[in-house]
Structure formats: C-alpha cells, structure tokens
Amino acid sequence: MSTPAQPARRAPDSFAILTMIALCAIWGFQQVAIKSTNAFLPPVFQAGLRSAIAALLVWGWARSRGTPLFRDDGTLGAGLLAGVLFASEFVCIFLGLTLTSASRMAVFLYTAPCFTALGLHWFVEGERMRRIQWAGIVVAFAGMALAFSDGFTRAHAGSASSTLAGVTGDALGVLGGATWAATTIVVRASRLAHSSASKTLFYQLAVSAVLLLALAAGLGQVKVATLTPLALVSLGYQAVVVAFVSYLIWFWLLTRYVASRLSVFSFLTPLFGVTFGVLLLGESFSTRFLLAAVLVLAGIALVNGPARPRGA
C-alpha cells in the first residue's frame, strides 16, 4: 500500500534536544509512579484507567483548539493498529513490573530505539542510519548494559521460581520495547504521519483504554483497594503529565524531526529512573553507573552528530 509523500524531517536542534531531555526525565519517573500504584490498583486496570483519563483530556484539548478527531481521513486502519500496539506495550510494562524491578524494566523497555531505528531504516524513506549513528546506538546500549549489570546479577540470584519470574518480567520488557517501536513505525510509515499529534495520540489512548479495561474485566482486575493520596497523585501523574502532556509533545516532535534520532534520546530515561531511585528510594549509586552514563551520552552525541551530505 502506497502512502503519500511525506514532508522532510530535520535533525534535532537545541529546542528538540532540551525537550527530549525533559520528556526523558518525565518518563524516567513513570516507573516509580507505576510501582507505587500497583499496590492499590491492579496493573491492567491501572493502565486502562490511565489511558481513559488521558483520552478524555486529549479529546477536550482537541475540541478547544478546533482540531478534528473523527473526520474520515484514511487513518482509521493505521490508528486502530497503533492503538492495539500501544495497549500491548502497556500490558507488558504494567504486568512486567509485578515480576521484575523498575530498573531492569527500564533497561529492557528502552531497547525500543534500536528496534525503531531498524524498522525505520527499512520501511521509511529518509530515516536511514549511517554507520556512525549505528555505532552510537551500540555505544549507548553498552552503557545501559554496564549501568545495570550488577542489578542483573543480583536479581537472578535466588530460587528457580524467582529466577523464572525475573526472566518473564525481562522478556515482557523487551516485548514492550518492540511494541513501542512498532507503534512509532506505524505512525511514521502511514497516513498518521500527516495527522495532528492530537489525533494520533487519541487513537492510541482511546483504543488502548477500551482494550485494557476489557482485559482487566476479563482478568477480574476491576477492583480498587484502599486508595491513598499518594496513589491518586501517582495515577494523576501517569494520566495527565505522562500520557497526555508528554505524549502529545512527543508526537508533535515526530512530525518535525527525524524519528530515529529522537528515539535514541530514550536511552536517557533509565538513567533518570535510576537517579530518582537513588533520591527517592535510597538505592545505591556507583562509579560504574557514572561510567555508563558517559557511554550513553557519548552514544547520543554520535547519533545526533552533523548529517553527512547526500553522496558524500
């Protein structure tokens, strides 16, 4: 199926870079928010509520700006597919966080930029990676592996059942990263690339809300334990700040900048997650982590270096 010619995207400038750093900090804190709320709201039900609240906010935002969400523009098929993938991603994340640690989930989930770059390289014209950029992804991922290598060893030390649970959680993290990347590829390789950020996000939130809440009902998870103010604030943070504001900004960026070079900034998110863990949860901080952070930043610098002129 052919898609219409797409407008040229440019390499991230200083505004895009600073915006992505802020988004990564927001997403890094999300792991803490989800873990703290899992004790009071079942994971799939929590994910569904999050999407439902954010979908209503996006609908209100679009209506206030006069942005059409329900006009027939040929995006329905791609929008439904993106919504299914989006729901699958958060099933993996929320269930995975009941089986593995937030830091391990962050590592495996944020393999997404690698999957994204590979998919865009093959399916979207103008998103092909140069060797130096691929090298940057390898360096950044090596930094991730180094940062969490101690955690990997400790997490898998123990009984066979705990090891199996940890491996399952890790696998859900990788699958979550793959489905996140698939969502980005669907958005960039379809008519959704020409839709407003509001409509693109609304598809994902609305479809995922229906699917996740239906799944929660099927699993018997539609129930609320004793909610604390912290749990309510956490759910609000996930729905308003993460799923509404940050995703709306993310999809807006995708309409203007090269997606594969934005996605690599996602490697910063686990670093923020560990930092929040140190500050809020009293987790240890090592020299190895500092070295890993240097590798990650070096990888990002390589990926976002000056573009080589065509034919050079």
Side-chain angles (χ1 to χ4, degrees), residues 167-230:
V167 169
T168 302
D170 294 346
L172 286 171
V174 174
L175 185 57
T179 52
W180 177 12
T183 304
T184 302
I185 293 166
V186 167
V187 170
R188 287 287 290 111
S190 70
R191 291 182 180 273
L192 287 174
H194 307 284
S195 293
S196 66
S198 297
K199 184 164 187 173
T200 299
L201 181 55
F202 184 76
Y203 269 126
Q204 295 175 69
L205 292 170
V207 173
S208 66
V210 172
L211 294 178
L212 291 169
L213 290 175
L215 179 59
L219 295 174
Q221 289 194 6
V222 182
K223 53 187 177 181
V224 180
T226 303
L227 286 176
T228 64
L230 177 61

Side-chain angles (χ1 to χ4, degrees), residues 54-76 79-80 192 195-207 244 248:
L56 289 173
L57 291 172
V58 171
W59 173 79
W61 167 261
R63 185 173 182 179
S64 70
R65 295 175 59 85
T67 303
L69 294 181
F70 303 102
R71 185 176 60 193
D72 183 7
D73 57 2
T75 62
L76 180 60
L80 292 176
L192 287 174
S195 293
S196 66
S198 297
K199 184 164 187 173
T200 299
L201 181 55
F202 184 76
Y203 269 126
Q204 295 175 69
L205 292 170
V207 173
F244 173 50
L248 201 60

